[in-house]
């Protein structure tokens, strides 16, 4: 599960001046060339992902099975101005996976069986959907879903992972191979009054990436400094 926003664009290394100016023979590039989207930048899928989220959320609500919106779209639902790029993620109970996927299949959503054993992948409207049973290595539980808050997602109300749980999951997803604090900073800033930070510290204890991020928040005065810090 990818809980990060889109990767940063990397400028093209090397190349001739004419190729960087958009003309193969050194001639000035047409005026409209500067307005063309860079091939290094992913298109903004925000509205398409929101439409898919609403469609899937409506099906899950009708199924009667507990669920919660997670990931970047959950941050968006909580009011964080993120640009959505990858997919939409829903947490469900493992024992509900079969019935949930059948409900989606009946609505024309294509179900994909991934090699991972902690989620089911689907696709609708050209966008990817992840139905997740395990968040950052921890199984989705009825208690986690019960703490979800019902929020509007572009006009459709649905359960959204609570801010404290959202932060815990985002921090525990960090690893030696993926440790980008950039997308987490606006989430921490925007939700700091709604997050139980002591509970976050307890639930992420032992994670060096989480501890480093929390210390960074103290240095940036997002969080009050602890005694001795």
């Amino acid at each position: 599960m990818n809980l990060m926003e889109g990767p940063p664009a990397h400028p093209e290394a090397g190349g001739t001046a004419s190729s960087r100016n958009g003309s193969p023979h050194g001639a000035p590039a047409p005026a409209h060339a500067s307005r063309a989207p860079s091939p290094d930048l992913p298109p903004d899928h925000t509205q398409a992902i929101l439409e898919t989220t609403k469609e899937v959320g409506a099906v899950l609500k009708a199924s009667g099975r507990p669920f919660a919106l997670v990931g970047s779209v959950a941050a968006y639902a909580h009011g964080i101005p993120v640009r959505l790029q990858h997919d939409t993620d829903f947490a469900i109970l493992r024992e509900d996976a079969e019935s949930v996927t059948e409900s989606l299949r009946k609505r024309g959503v294509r179900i994909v069986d991934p090699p991972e054993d902690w989620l089911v992948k689907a696709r609708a409207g050209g966008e990817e959907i992840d139905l997740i049973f395990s968040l950052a290595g921890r199984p989705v539980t009825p208690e986690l879903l019960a703490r979800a808050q019902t929020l509007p997602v572009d006009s459709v109300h649905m359960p959204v992972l609570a801010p404290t749980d959202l932060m815990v999951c985002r921090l525990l997803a960090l690893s030696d191979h993926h440790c980008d604090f950039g997308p987490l900073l606006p989430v921490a800033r925007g939700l700091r009054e709604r997050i139980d930070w002591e509970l976050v510290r307890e639930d992420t204890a032992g994670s060096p990436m989480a501890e480093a991020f929390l210390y960074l928040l103290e240095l940036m005065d997002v969080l009050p400094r602890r005694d001795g810090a």
Side-chain angles (χ1 to χ4, degrees), residues 78-81 184-195 222:
H78 279 295
I80 307 303
L184 276 176
L185 285 172
V187 178
R189 283 196 175 107
L191 298 179
R192 62 179 172 180
E193 301 298 331
R194 290 180 274 169
I195 291 175
V222 175

Side-chain angles (χ1 to χ4, degrees), residues 88-173:
T88 184
D89 304 316
F90 293 88
I92 63 173
L93 300 176
R94 182 180 291 272
E95 56 265 31
D96 290 339
E98 186 174 346
S99 61
V100 166
T101 53
E102 184 59 27
S103 296
L104 291 171
R105 190 179 283 112
K106 288 179 178 177
R107 292 293 298 269
V109 176
R110 184 165 63 91
I111 305 299
V112 180
D113 292 323
E116 299 90 350
D117 62 356
W118 49 271
L119 84 167
V120 170
K121 285 187 172 290
R123 190 171 181 84
E127 302 299 330
E128 301 290 340
I129 305 155
D130 286 351
L131 305 169
I132 301 164
F133 333 128
S134 178
L135 291 168
R138 297 182 177 183
V140 173
T141 64
E143 293 76 18
L144 177 76
L145 299 181
R147 291 194 296 269
Q149 302 173 356
T150 299
L151 298 173
V153 179
D154 200 28
S155 77
V156 174
H157 286 73
M158 66 184 72
V160 179
L161 204 66
T164 298
D165 292 320
L166 181 63
M167 180 56 62
V168 168
C169 292
R170 296 286 293 263
L171 288 177
L172 291 178

Side-chain angles (χ1 to χ4, degrees), residues 4-229:
M4 300 295 105
E5 283 70 47
H10 297 286
E12 182 180 355
T16 64
S18 61
S19 67
R20 289 194 296 271
N21 290 332
S23 173
H25 301 294
H32 62 77
S34 62
R35 297 195 298 270
S38 167
D40 292 331
L41 291 173
D44 187 355
H45 286 186
T46 295
Q47 194 55 46
I49 289 175
L50 289 176
E51 292 299 323
T52 299
T53 300
K54 292 189 294 184
E55 177 185 350
V56 174
V59 174
L60 294 179
K61 287 168 65 176
S63 75
R65 305 292 182 175
F67 73 96
L69 183 65
V70 299
S72 297
V73 189
Y76 181 95
H78 279 295
I80 307 303
V82 297
R83 188 172 72 166
L84 308 177
Q85 293 293 344
H86 294 295
D87 53 22
T88 184
D89 304 316
F90 293 88
I92 63 173
L93 300 176
R94 182 180 291 272
E95 56 265 31
D96 290 339
E98 186 174 346
S99 61
V100 166
T101 53
E102 184 59 27
S103 296
L104 291 171
R105 190 179 283 112
K106 288 179 178 177
R107 292 293 298 269
V109 176
R110 184 165 63 91
I111 305 299
V112 180
D113 292 323
E116 299 90 350
D117 62 356
W118 49 271
L119 84 167
V120 170
K121 285 187 172 290
R123 190 171 181 84
E127 302 299 330
E128 301 290 340
I129 305 155
D130 286 351
L131 305 169
I132 301 164
F133 333 128
S134 178
L135 291 168
R138 297 182 177 183
V140 173
T141 64
E143 293 76 18
L144 177 76
L145 299 181
R147 291 194 296 269
Q149 302 173 356
T150 299
L151 298 173
V153 179
D154 200 28
S155 77
V156 174
H157 286 73
M158 66 184 72
V160 179
L161 204 66
T164 298
D165 292 320
L166 181 63
M167 180 56 62
V168 168
C169 292
R170 296 286 293 263
L171 288 177
L172 291 178
L174 299 174
S175 69
D176 292 350
H177 304 290
H178 186 85
C179 186
D180 185 0
F181 290 165
L184 276 176
L185 285 172
V187 178
R189 283 196 175 107
L191 298 179
R192 62 179 172 180
E193 301 298 331
R194 290 180 274 169
I195 291 175
D196 184 336
W197 291 103
E198 285 306 312
L199 189 56
V200 170
R201 292 184 188 279
E202 292 176 12
D203 284 355
T204 61
S207 166
M209 308 304 173
E211 292 180 10
F213 181 73
L214 293 172
Y215 180 57
L216 176 63
L217 294 183
E218 293 179 7
L219 294 178
M220 298 178 67
D221 293 324
V222 175
L223 296 180
R225 300 198 182 196
R226 308 184 84 188
D227 293 341

